[in-house]
Amino acid sequence: METTEMTRIPVQKTTASRLAETDFSDLRFGDKFADHMLEMRYTDGQWGEPSIRPYAPIQMTPAASILHYGQGVFEGMKAFRREDGRITIFRIDKHFERFNNSCKRLNIPEIPFEVFEQGLIQLVDLDREWIPKNKFKALYIRPFVIASDEYIGLNTSQNYRFFIISGPVGNYYREGINPIKLTTMPDYVRAVEGGVGFAKIPGNYAASLLPTHKAKEMGYTQVLWLDAKHRKYVEEVGSMNMFFVVDGKILTAPLSGTILPGVTRDCVIQLGKEWGIPVEERPVSIDELIEANKNGTLEEAFGSGTAAVISPVGLIHHKGYTITLDQDKMGPIAQRLYDTITSIHHGLEKDNHDWCTIV
Ligand code: COI
């Protein structure tokens, strides 16, 4: 991806890097953070100048709006180290578009593209030694914005703080890239039409925690969300979008406002179509999947996400019926997607779609 011109963001470098004491041999997801972070504040109706400084706790009033009403938005992105040593950030423009769409829904002022892009590039460049060398690992990047008014009446905040932090990660699921187990939870819903299901906001994730906890207690990895109205159409998994291969076709829920418009979801759809595999974005009912499982046409189920990449699903439970797929490995389409996407990440395959920005 071509980059836009922007003046450099001022940087205060750390004098106490934590890099040397960080164990990269056993990376999980989300518990290690690189040396620097970016901040930009919104006051008096405009965004101020961004700056980069050492990663550290932030000070906030206990009355800050974000803490009470959750007016905040976040993104999840990744940067990779290629074999030739070059660093890339994946699909900046698509993440930016989703970030600002989420901001619009929560009445948060949009972030200028130049700051988003330049901030990512400078931060990743500064912390480039934090990017793991292994093909299956990455630097996970978390841009986020929070409402910072010192006010506990319910109102759109007048002040905001935009941050970017990052950290090295391994696989998102404990299972690694082995198939995970899902269950529906028909007593709970994730999103309703007209609501906020398409936005990447804390509340969507907070509301999923109790049902997910219950699913885990029952031995499943995650909840497979069904639509709120009919409680029968498959939506997503919270941490990833869902795909099913039925009779040679790839099926996935449409972007009707109740699921996250996943960036990896978009890659899967584009690649699937280019490979000549029919891709149908349409409501897919759990009954249709059970039927396909019974008659042997349900070939694969897998999820896609920035954190999850492509994660195979080996089992889906719904109201006493268990769909079992290949429990030991990814299906052929999921595997081809995983290999292609990770190869593009790491520069092992040509980036025909212009998805990567070289840092
Ligand atoms: C991501 O895939 O980037 C997400 O934000 C999902 C989150 C549950 C880690």
Side-chain angles (χ1 to χ4, degrees), residues 29 74 76 140 142 172 200 205 239 305-308:
F29 182 90
F74 69 97
Y140 186 78
R142 177 53 64 90
Y172 183 68
K200 204 157 173 67
Y205 294 80
S239 48
T306 296

Side-chain angles (χ1 to χ4, degrees), residues 135-162:
K135 183 179 172 198
F136 303 104
K137 298 175 182 170
L139 185 79
Y140 186 78
I141 312 168
R142 177 53 64 90
F144 63 102
V145 59
I146 55 173
S148 56
D149 270 10
E150 188 169 30
Y151 180 60
I152 55 168
L154 178 59
N155 228 340
T156 295
S157 186
Q158 300 303 306
N159 297 282
Y160 297 88
R161 297 173 73 177
F162 170 69

Side-chain angles (χ1 to χ4, degrees), residues 21-87:
E21 71 218 33
T22 303
D23 180 7
F24 279 71
S25 66
D26 181 28
L27 284 180
R28 284 146 206 271
F29 182 90
D31 58 357
K32 291 186 172 60
F33 299 95
D35 278 330
H36 299 90
M37 64 185 196
L38 175 144
E39 182 176 3
M40 175 171 71
R41 293 187 185 222
Y42 184 91
T43 48
D44 300 325
Q46 57 184 354
W47 286 107
E49 292 301 318
S51 63
I52 293 175
R53 63 176 193 269
Y55 175 89
I58 57 170
Q59 275 209 325
M60 219 184 338
T61 163
S65 313
I66 179 70
L67 300 177
H68 302 271
Y69 305 115
Q71 198 195 2
V73 159
F74 69 97
E75 261 309 312
M77 307 179 61
K78 276 181 176 168
F80 304 92
R81 182 185 299 282
R82 294 186 167 180
E83 282 195 348
D84 63 6
R86 291 198 293 172
I87 303 298

